[in-house]
Amino acid sequence: MSSRFTPILLLAVACALFVLAYQPQQPIMLDVTAPSSEKFLDNFFAPERDARWTQAHSAVWLTGLGGGNLAWRVGVRLSGARPNGVTAPHVVVRANGAMLAEFSALIDERAYEWSIAPWQLGANGDLLLEIDSDTFSPQSDPRELGVRVARVWLTRGDGLALPSLKTFLLLLALVTEYVLVARNVLSADGGRQTADLRRPSPIVHRPSSIVVATLVVLVAAAALALNRAETTWWLGVLTLSALFVAALAWLVAHFVSISSLTRRQQRNVLAVFALAALVRLALDTGRGYEGDVAIYLSLAWKTVHFGIQSAYLNVSAVPPPNTPPFLLYPFWLLGWLFQQLISPLFPPTWLNDPDGLRFMLRLPSLSADLIAGALIFRALQRESLSFNARLLASSAYLFNPALIFDSAYWGQTAAIHSLFMLVALLATERHAFGWAGVAMATAVLTKPQALAIAPLVVVLAWRERGLFRLLIGGLVAAVLVDLPFIAAGTMDGVAQQYIRTSEYHPFIALNAHNWWWFSTGGQGWQSDSLPLGPLTFRSVGVLLFACATLLSLIVVWRDRKRLFAVAAFQSLAFFMLATQIHENHLLPMFAPLVLAAVKDTSAWWLYGAFTVTALANMALHDPNLVTALGYPAEEIYGGPALALPRWLNAAAQTMLFFVFALRLSAPLLHELKMKKTSRVSKTREV
């Protein structure tokens, strides 16, 4: 048989097997107490003995069952156990929004069963079985309990069952992702991609990839025949996970210019970035920094249920956040995926504890870290460095423990605006001021702290006649990010978020081991409106940062090649001199400092020293560490127990800041000294 027809034949066989996989009529039995059933249950409490309590509104979510064209029977075994004197609960059961039954649940456990009409489960055979009931609170138990559910089951009527189109598309997407990856790998010649697009796809001449794809389809069909609910759920998770990994890998490969590397270099790059991702994923399973993660969770819930434009309104007990608008987009997207895959009801996150969503909300920061590492690798191509030197510099960023601590362990978002700040600097270095404006505006719309480097970008754009492009790029980015608020007429909320920034945490230093923590002896949690001489702490902080900015502008004006060193210093100066600073506001410094250290290798010790002190700053205020040491939770705000190591770390960072400032100003001081010497010599000659 011609190899041309082999893929077509295999596709036909796969489709036939897929249809046959949905014909077995075995019942679906769901033991709600089994750990494997957890993913199908929405808004249930943890199992107790042989059942689970529902809440006021709970659901069982089974997707991709197929046979939507046929009639079904669905059953639930439950009880409405209540203390003496409490009325039996009123229960309403719905299937995909249509009422199945309404009754008063008996105290004793019993089985209830109802019929589902053909096509009521839709073309894919998706069942959302909702159970609404009256609730009560047991004595010494704050929970609101509904009814006790022990088991759920489904049986399908006779007839030819149509397969789930959604499941077929998921399987097709998974196989396609594999084939594309296999083709790209197999088509490489000595590590370089084939440039002639007129050649036939090498996948046709590589039967191994077709065989593997066929085996995947066979295994999936067999699994669907045995357990459609379990297989469909895992297929959805695997396909979306593979899509995320493939997209991230493509971005990294694009930015590192993977096609220009040899096969061995490609493997080394892949190993480094894969290891960096795995290290972060290992830490992504924790709870993160509870207070901030709780805000992210509630914003995901709010934007999914009420739209992004509702974020700055007081809706359903969720007040307007102090989070700029750009971060709302990944929160919304991941919340929407969580609702589609795991929790169709998506109840308020403060009433539940969605570990799956906690994990998902850290993926943007993981992606930002890896992309920033790839951009650093790409940016160093112009420095005529060896491959090993470029990979080492990129690794210094990817495996920076302070960055990993913040984005993976704490689940914070500093990596995202740090990435856009890096892009703005790289675009400025290459005179691409339009893209610099886009990146700079996006960074500021992610976190206001990104404004620290804005003076450098603006001054260089003005000097090099790129200010108009910078402003247009920034305006376009700002309009696109704010479009939902503009359309809904809620832009006032976005504006207020920036106007009131200084009101959210009006303290001298919020656990930041900076100049203020050092000079106040660790008393950073005081109001920054307190007087400091004729001014306030806040005003003095602004003046000090303005002086540091003036130094930065003079340096970069005189020597444009020092842009990255100056940008690193600007981020550091903002952290050290301004008030209202948090412990992780130092992190945007590291990406430009890597690029600066490559040009001036004597700066690597500064990078290493700040890595240690930044990590210590966060660790010494980590709630988990503080409580593990036996101290009360309030100790994280600067109590006496860890006062000495915190003050010493602030002293170390203050010393490093002044060393950095001296290094930056050394050429200026040398030039001034030479001019003074020259004037003295001329005076003596006269």
Side-chain angles (χ1 to χ4, degrees):
M1 180 181 296
S2 172
S3 60
R4 181 180 303 175
F5 298 103
T6 301
I8 299 175
L9 177 61
L10 290 175
L11 179 62
V13 171
C15 291
L17 288 173
F18 187 79
V19 173
L20 291 173
Y22 280 89
Q23 303 316 309
Q25 204 174 351
Q26 82 276 15
I28 297 172
M29 308 296 295
L30 194 65
D31 178 5
V32 299
T33 62
S36 60
S37 300
E38 185 84 35
K39 55 184 169 290
F40 304 122
L41 306 177
D42 196 3
N43 223 20
F44 279 75
F45 288 110
E48 297 179 8
R49 297 187 297 277
D50 56 350
R52 284 180 186 262
W53 284 99
T54 68
Q55 300 190 39
H57 188 198
S58 300
V60 178
W61 172 234
L62 298 168
T63 181
L65 302 177
N69 58 309
L70 303 175
W72 288 74
R73 296 281 293 174
V74 59
V76 180
R77 188 170 184 84
L78 60 80
S79 68
R82 290 292 187 273
N84 292 332
V86 179
T87 307
H90 180 73
V91 180
V92 177
V93 180
R94 298 183 180 86
N96 293 358
M99 183 181 292
L100 292 180
E102 185 175 8
F103 58 93
S104 293
L106 301 176
I107 294 177
D108 296 327
E109 186 177 288
R110 61 161 292 182
Y112 300 85
E113 194 171 52
W114 309 278
S115 297
I116 297 177
W119 297 110
Q120 191 173 335
L121 299 188
N124 294 305
D126 296 337
L127 172 64
L128 178 63
L129 185 70
E130 298 174 86
I131 303 173
D132 297 348
S133 66
D134 298 333
T135 61
F136 78 104
S137 293
Q139 196 171 21
S140 303
D141 189 341
R143 295 179 301 169
E144 294 285 336
L145 305 180
V147 294
R148 280 173 54 88
V149 176
R151 194 168 68 252
V152 177
W153 65 91
L154 289 95
T155 55
R156 196 185 69 206
D158 297 327
L160 179 65
L162 293 178
S164 167
L165 178 61
K166 177 172 65 178
T167 306
F168 178 76
L169 293 176
L170 286 172
L171 182 59
L172 182 63
L174 185 63
V175 172
T176 302
E177 288 173 35
Y178 166 76
V179 169
L180 289 175
V181 172
R183 181 178 66 183
N184 289 335
V185 172
L186 294 171
S187 65
D189 182 15
R192 302 186 183 276
Q193 300 295 326
T194 303
D196 190 354
L197 300 179
R198 295 171 296 178
R199 295 182 183 179
S201 171
I203 200 68
V204 175
H205 304 292
R206 304 286 185 170
S208 59
S209 60
I210 298 178
V211 171
V212 172
T214 304
L215 288 175
V216 171
V217 174
L218 290 173
V219 171
L224 285 168
L226 295 173
N227 192 326
R228 281 185 283 279
E230 191 84 24
T231 302
T232 302
W233 191 90
W234 280 108
L235 188 60
V237 171
L238 288 174
T239 301
L240 289 177
S241 299
L243 183 62
F244 169 76
V245 171
L248 183 56
W250 181 86
L251 284 172
V252 169
H254 173 73
F255 287 127
V256 302
S257 189
I258 199 76
S259 61
S260 65
L261 306 177
T262 66
R263 180 66 62 87
R264 182 178 180 180
Q265 290 173 342
Q266 288 180 356
R267 286 197 298 265
N268 291 340
V269 168
L270 176 63
V272 166
F273 279 86
L275 182 59
L278 291 174
V279 168
R280 285 164 171 79
L281 287 173
L283 293 171
D284 280 358
T285 55
R287 297 188 60 80
Y289 200 96
E290 289 284 0
D292 291 333
V293 172
I295 293 174
Y296 304 156
L297 291 170
S298 64
L299 284 174
W301 175 85
K302 185 179 184 179
T303 53
V304 166
H305 285 281
F306 302 102
I308 288 178
Q309 71 281 359
S310 71
Y312 298 102
L313 302 175
N314 199 333
V315 179
S316 294
V318 182
N322 61 349
T323 301
F326 183 82
L327 283 176
L328 299 173
Y329 289 91
F331 293 163
W332 168 81
L333 176 61
L334 294 169
W336 179 82
L337 288 173
F338 177 77
Q339 184 183 47
Q340 300 303 310
L341 285 175
I342 299 173
S343 177
L345 299 184
F346 198 179
T349 54
W350 56 91
L351 299 178
N352 294 268
D353 195 9
D355 289 333
L357 186 57
R358 281 178 183 269
F359 173 82
M360 294 168 68
L361 288 177
R362 301 188 199 186
L363 296 179
S365 293
L366 179 149
S367 304
D369 276 341
L370 296 186
I371 294 172
L375 287 172
I376 289 171
F377 184 90
R378 179 67 172 269
L380 295 176
Q381 280 184 334
R382 302 177 69 182
E383 302 298 325
S384 301
L385 293 173
S386 67
F387 167 81
N388 290 336
R390 291 158 57 199
L391 188 60
L392 182 62
S394 185
S395 300
Y397 186 82
L398 291 172
F399 295 100
N400 185 316
L403 301 176
I404 296 172
F405 190 98
D406 182 73
S407 61
Y409 174 64
W410 269 2
Q412 298 277 17
T413 60
I416 300 175
H417 69 275
S418 297
L419 170 63
F420 288 117
M421 291 168 71
L422 175 62
V423 172
L425 292 171
L426 291 172
T428 300
E429 185 204 27
R430 301 188 180 192
H431 305 274
F433 291 111
W435 289 112
V438 170
M440 195 69 248
T442 307
V444 173
L445 289 169
T446 305
K447 280 290 184 181
Q449 292 86 352
L451 283 168
I453 65 167
L456 306 178
V457 178
V458 171
V459 166
L460 288 178
W462 173 72
R463 187 179 75 170
E464 297 165 10
R465 300 181 180 180
L467 187 58
F468 179 75
R469 285 177 287 151
L470 181 78
L471 295 176
I472 291 298
L475 179 62
V476 170
V479 169
L480 290 177
V481 171
D482 292 326
L483 194 58
F485 307 98
I486 296 172
T490 57
M491 268 301 294
D492 179 64
V494 179
Q496 286 299 317
Q497 195 279 322
Y498 286 89
I499 293 171
R500 299 178 57 193
T501 295
S502 61
E503 299 177 12
Y504 291 124
H505 302 289
F507 301 102
I508 296 173
L510 293 88
N511 294 343
H513 294 174
N514 55 13
W515 159 253
W516 296 114
W517 193 276
F518 168 73
S519 61
T520 61
Q523 303 302 311
W525 286 87
Q526 302 179 70
S527 173
D528 66 348
S529 61
L530 290 173
L532 184 61
L535 303 174
T536 63
F537 279 92
R538 184 186 303 179
S539 300
V540 173
V542 171
L543 288 174
L544 290 175
F545 179 64
C547 293
T549 301
L550 180 60
L551 170 63
S552 297
L553 292 175
I554 293 172
V555 172
V556 81
W557 184 275
R558 297 173 66 88
D559 188 357
R560 195 185 194 281
K561 293 181 179 179
R562 304 186 71 190
L563 172 63
F564 296 116
V566 174
F569 176 77
Q570 273 293 101
S571 294
L572 174 62
F574 182 77
F575 173 84
M576 293 299 302
L577 303 176
T579 60
Q580 305 187 16
I581 299 299
H582 291 263
E583 58 268 50
N584 60 349
H585 288 176
L586 176 64
L587 302 183
M589 175 189 74
F590 286 110
L593 187 55
V594 167
L595 295 171
V598 169
K599 296 183 178 182
D600 179 6
T601 55
S602 64
W604 276 117
W605 77 269
L606 270 177
Y607 182 88
F610 274 117
T611 297
V612 173
T613 56
L615 179 63
N617 193 165
M618 292 184 287
L620 287 169
H621 295 275
D622 176 46
N624 295 327
L625 177 62
V626 168
T627 54
L629 293 174
Y631 301 122
E634 293 76 16
E635 177 68 26
I636 65 173
Y637 301 113
L642 298 172
L644 180 59
R646 288 167 176 163
W647 184 85
L648 290 175
N649 195 56
Q653 295 209 119
T654 301
M655 180 195 69
L656 290 171
F657 167 69
F658 284 115
V659 170
F660 200 159
L662 288 173
R663 286 175 58 90
L664 200 68
S665 57
L668 296 177
L669 296 175
H670 178 72
E671 186 174 340
L672 290 174
K673 182 179 179 181
M674 293 299 294
K675 287 183 177 179
K676 182 178 180 181
T677 303
S678 177
R679 285 198 299 269
V680 170
S681 299
K682 289 180 180 179
T683 303
R684 288 177 178 175
E685 290 177 3
V686 172

